[in-house]
Amino acid sequence: MKSRKEPLQNKLTEEKLGRQKAEQNSQEKERQLSMLSVDYRQIQQRLQKLEGEYRQESEKVVALHSQLEQEQSKKNSLLSEISLQSSEVAHLKSKEMQSQKEVQQLRDARKKLEEDVSNIKKQHNTDILQMKEVQDQLEVEQYFSKLYKTQYNELRDEMKDRMRQLQKLDDERSNIMHQLQLANARADTEALARSIAEETVADLEKEKTMKELELKDLLTKHRNELMAKEALVTSLKDAEAELKKSLGNKEYELEDVLQQSKKQQEELYRLKYELGELDKCRAKLVNETILKQQAVNKLAEIMNRKDNNLTGKQKMKVNSTAELRKKEKESKRLQQELSVERAKYDEMCQKHNETVSLLARQIDVNTKLQMEIDCKATEIEHLQMKLIETASLSSVDNDMMEENQDSIFEGWLSVPNKQNIKRHGWKRQFVVVSPKRIIFYSSELDKQNTSDPLLIIDL
C-alpha cells in the first residue's frame, strides 16, 4: 500500500509542479501578451503619427510641386520678357544711331544758322550806326529850332516886361503924388490929435486917482462883508450840526417807540387770542345753561306726571339746583374775569392809540426837521455861491461866477391844483432848484421867512 501511495504522491506532486509551472507559464504568457498589446498599441499610435506625417509630407510635396510649376511659369515669363527687352534694346540702339545721325545733321544746320546770324548782326550793326547818324542830325536840327523858338520867346517877353515897367512907373508916379497929398493931410490931423490926446491924458489921470480911491473903499467893504458871511456860515454850520444831532436822537427815540409798539402789538394779539377763548367759554356756558334749562323743564314735566315718586324727584331737584348754582357761580366768575380782561384790553388799545399818535407826531416833526435841514443846506449853498461871487475880482473869476450862478435857479412854476385840471385849474408855486434838490414854496415870502416848504425833491 505504501509502495502504491508513493508513486501516486509523486504523480500528484509532479502534477502540482506541472500545474504550477503551467500557471507560471500562463502568467508569463499573459504578461507577454499584455506587453505585446501595449507594444501593439504603441506601434498603432506610431503608425497613425507616421500616416499623419506622411499626409503632411505629401501635402508639402504637392505644394512644392505647385510652387515649382509657378516658378517655372515665372521663369518662362521672365525669359520671354528678357527676349522682349533684348529686342527693345536692339531697337533702341538702332534709334540711337539714327538720333546721332540727326544730331550731326542738326549741328551742321546750327553752324550754318550761326554764320547767317553773324552776317545779319553785322548788317544790323551797320544799320544801327546809320540810324544813330540820322538821329544825331535830327537832334541837331531840333536843337537849332528850339534855340530859334527860345530866342523869339525871350525877345517877346522882354518887350512885354518893358511895357509893364513903363506902366508901373506911371502908376508909381500917380501913387507918390497921392501919398504926398495924404501925408500933408495926416500931418494936419496928427497935430490936432496930439493936442486932444494931451487933454484926454490929463483927464484920465484924474479918473485913475478917483478909481483907485473907489477900489480901496470897495476892497475894505468886501473884506468886511466876507468876515460877516464867514461868521454867518460858521453859525449855520453849527446849527446844522445841532440839527443833525437832534435828528440822530429823534431817530433813536423813534426806534425805541417802534420797539414798544411792536411789543404792544404782540400783547394785543395775545389779548385777542384770550378774548377768543373767553367767547368760546361763553358759548359753552350758554349751551350748558340751555341744556340745564331743558333738563329742569323735563324734570318739571315728570313732577307733574308722577306724584307718587315725590321723594325721588325732590332729591333730583335738589341735585339739579345745586349744580345750577355751581354753574351760575362759575358763569359769574367768568363774567368778572371777562370784564377785567375787557378793561385791560381797553387800556391797551388806549395806550396803542397814544403811541400811534406819538409816532405820527414824531414822524411829522422829523419830516419838518428834514425839510428845514434841506432848506438850510440850500441856503448854505446859496451863501457859498455869493461868497465866491464876492471873492472873484478878475475876469476869469467873473466867468466862473457866472457859471456857478447858473447852477442855482429861483422862480415861479405853474402846478396843477388837482388831477382834473379843466375843473380845478393851475396854482403858482415858488421853486428853488439847486444841484442836489428842488424845493417848492407857496410864495416867495415863505422862502424869505424860512417857513416850512410844501415839497422837497432830492435829485
Side-chain angles (χ1 to χ4, degrees):
M1 288 293 286
K2 285 181 181 179
S3 62
R4 285 180 183 178
K5 285 181 181 177
E6 284 177 359
L8 286 168
Q9 285 178 352
N10 290 324
K11 281 181 182 179
L12 281 166
T13 53
E14 285 176 0
E15 284 178 0
K16 283 178 181 179
L17 289 167
R19 193 176 178 183
Q20 287 175 358
K21 285 178 181 179
E23 286 177 357
Q24 287 175 359
N25 288 322
S26 67
Q27 286 176 358
E28 285 177 1
K29 293 288 181 183
E30 284 176 357
R31 285 176 187 171
Q32 287 175 1
L33 278 168
S34 63
M35 291 291 287
L36 287 167
S37 63
V38 169
D39 292 333
Y40 179 70
R41 285 174 187 171
Q42 288 177 357
I43 288 161
Q44 280 182 349
Q45 288 175 359
R46 283 178 186 175
L47 268 170
Q48 287 175 359
K49 283 181 182 179
L50 288 167
E51 284 176 356
E53 288 175 357
Y54 176 72
R55 285 172 189 169
Q56 288 176 358
E57 291 295 328
S58 62
E59 287 174 358
K60 285 179 181 178
V61 167
V62 171
L64 287 167
H65 279 299
S66 63
Q67 285 179 0
L68 272 170
E69 288 174 356
Q70 287 175 0
E71 290 293 328
Q72 283 177 358
S73 63
K74 284 180 182 179
K75 189 178 179 182
N76 293 322
S77 63
L78 286 168
L79 287 168
S80 62
E81 285 177 0
I82 287 162
S83 62
L84 286 167
Q85 285 177 359
S86 61
S87 63
E88 284 178 359
V89 165
H91 185 65
L92 287 167
K93 281 180 180 178
S94 64
K95 278 185 178 180
E96 189 178 357
M97 293 295 286
Q98 287 177 1
S99 62
Q100 283 178 358
K101 287 177 183 179
E102 287 175 358
V103 165
Q104 191 65 35
Q105 289 174 1
L106 288 167
R107 281 176 182 172
D108 296 333
R110 184 183 174 187
K111 284 179 181 178
K112 287 179 182 179
L113 288 167
E114 284 177 354
E115 288 174 357
D116 293 332
V117 166
S118 62
N119 292 322
I120 289 162
K121 280 182 179 179
K122 286 176 183 178
Q123 287 178 1
H124 184 65
N125 289 323
T126 54
D127 291 332
I128 287 165
L129 289 168
Q130 288 175 1
M131 284 289 290
K132 281 182 179 178
E133 288 175 357
V134 172
Q135 282 178 357
D136 292 333
Q137 287 176 2
L138 273 168
E139 284 175 358
V140 169
E141 288 176 359
Q142 285 176 358
Y143 180 70
F144 281 116
S145 65
K146 283 179 182 178
L147 276 172
Y148 293 139
K149 283 179 181 178
T150 51
Q151 285 175 1
Y152 173 72
N153 290 322
E154 284 174 357
L155 289 167
R156 192 173 65 185
D157 292 332
E158 282 178 1
M159 287 290 288
K160 286 180 180 178
D161 290 332
R162 284 178 183 177
M163 291 295 288
R164 284 173 188 168
Q165 285 175 2
L166 284 168
Q167 285 178 358
K168 282 180 182 178
L169 287 167
D170 290 331
D171 293 332
E172 283 177 358
R173 187 180 174 188
S174 61
N175 284 324
I176 287 162
M177 291 296 289
H178 185 65
Q179 284 175 3
L180 279 168
Q181 290 174 1
L182 288 170
N184 290 321
R186 277 180 190 171
D188 296 332
T189 53
E190 280 177 0
L192 287 167
R194 189 175 179 184
S195 61
I196 292 161
E198 286 174 354
E199 291 175 359
T200 52
V201 163
D203 294 330
L204 285 167
E205 284 179 354
K206 288 178 183 177
E207 285 180 1
K208 187 182 177 183
T209 53
M210 292 293 287
K211 292 285 181 184
E212 284 176 353
L213 292 167
E214 286 177 0
L215 226 170
K216 285 178 182 177
D217 293 331
L218 284 168
L219 282 168
T220 52
K221 283 180 183 178
H222 175 65
R223 283 172 188 168
N224 292 323
E225 285 177 358
L226 270 174
M227 294 290 286
K229 284 175 180 178
E230 282 176 357
L232 221 172
V233 166
T234 51
S235 64
L236 285 168
K237 282 180 180 177
D238 295 332
E240 188 181 357
E242 288 175 359
L243 284 168
K244 282 180 180 177
K245 284 180 183 177
S246 63
L247 255 176
N249 295 323
K250 294 289 181 184
E251 284 176 356
Y252 287 126
E253 288 175 1
L254 252 174
E255 287 177 357
D256 294 332
V257 170
L258 285 167
Q259 287 177 358
Q260 288 177 3
S261 67
K262 283 179 182 177
K263 288 178 182 177
Q264 287 172 0
Q265 282 178 356
E266 289 174 357
E267 288 177 358
L268 273 170
Y269 289 134
R270 187 175 59 77
L271 286 168
K272 283 179 181 178
Y273 179 72
E274 288 176 357
L275 279 169
E277 288 182 349
L278 281 169
D279 291 330
K280 287 177 183 177
C281 290
R282 274 184 186 174
K284 283 180 181 179
L285 272 170
V286 169
N287 289 322
E288 285 177 358
T289 50
I290 289 162
L291 289 167
K292 284 172 184 177
Q293 191 68 38
Q294 288 175 358
V296 168
N297 292 326
K298 284 180 181 179
L299 283 167
E301 287 176 0
I302 290 161
M303 286 287 288
N304 291 321
R305 287 177 186 175
K306 293 179 181 181
D307 295 328
N308 294 321
N309 297 321
L310 281 168
T311 56
K313 287 177 182 179
Q314 283 174 358
K315 287 177 183 179
M316 288 290 290
K317 197 173 182 182
V318 168
N319 291 324
S320 64
T321 52
E323 286 177 359
L324 278 168
R325 283 173 185 173
K326 285 179 183 178
K327 295 286 182 183
E328 284 174 358
K329 285 178 182 179
E330 285 179 1
S331 66
K332 284 177 182 178
R333 184 175 60 78
L334 287 168
Q335 282 177 357
Q336 286 175 358
E337 287 178 357
L338 201 146
S339 61
V340 170
E341 292 294 331
R342 275 183 179 173
K344 286 180 182 179
Y345 177 72
D346 293 331
E347 287 177 1
M348 291 294 289
C349 286
Q350 286 177 359
K351 286 180 181 178
H352 181 68
N353 291 323
E354 286 174 359
T355 52
V356 168
S357 62
L358 279 168
L359 276 168
R361 287 172 190 170
Q362 199 69 37
I363 288 161
D364 293 332
V365 170
N366 285 328
T367 51
K368 284 179 181 178
L369 285 168
Q370 189 64 41
M371 290 169 89
E372 285 177 3
I373 287 162
D374 293 332
C375 294
K376 294 289 181 185
T378 50
E379 285 177 3
I380 288 160
E381 287 176 3
H382 194 60
L383 287 168
Q384 285 175 353
M385 300 301 289
K386 282 184 178 178
L387 282 168
I388 292 161
E389 288 173 14
T390 52
S392 61
L393 292 168
S394 63
S395 62
V396 178
D397 293 332
N398 286 323
D399 294 332
M400 290 292 289
M401 179 184 70
E402 287 175 0
E403 288 176 1
N404 290 321
Q405 276 181 352
D406 293 334
S407 61
I408 293 171
F409 299 99
E410 292 181 357
W412 290 93
L413 182 70
S414 294
V415 180
N417 199 358
K418 287 183 181 179
Q419 287 183 354
N420 194 351
I421 297 165
K422 289 181 180 178
R423 189 175 178 183
H424 299 286
W426 299 78
K427 62 179 178 181
R428 293 186 72 197
Q429 290 181 355
F430 191 75
V431 181
V432 178
V433 181
S434 68
K436 292 181 181 178
R437 59 188 66 83
I438 301 167
I439 303 168
F440 292 86
Y441 294 97
S442 60
S443 64
E444 194 172 358
L445 289 169
D446 292 337
K447 189 253 178 184
Q448 289 174 0
N449 295 324
T450 63
S451 62
D452 295 334
L454 295 170
L455 180 65
I456 294 170
I457 299 168
D458 291 321
L459 299 175

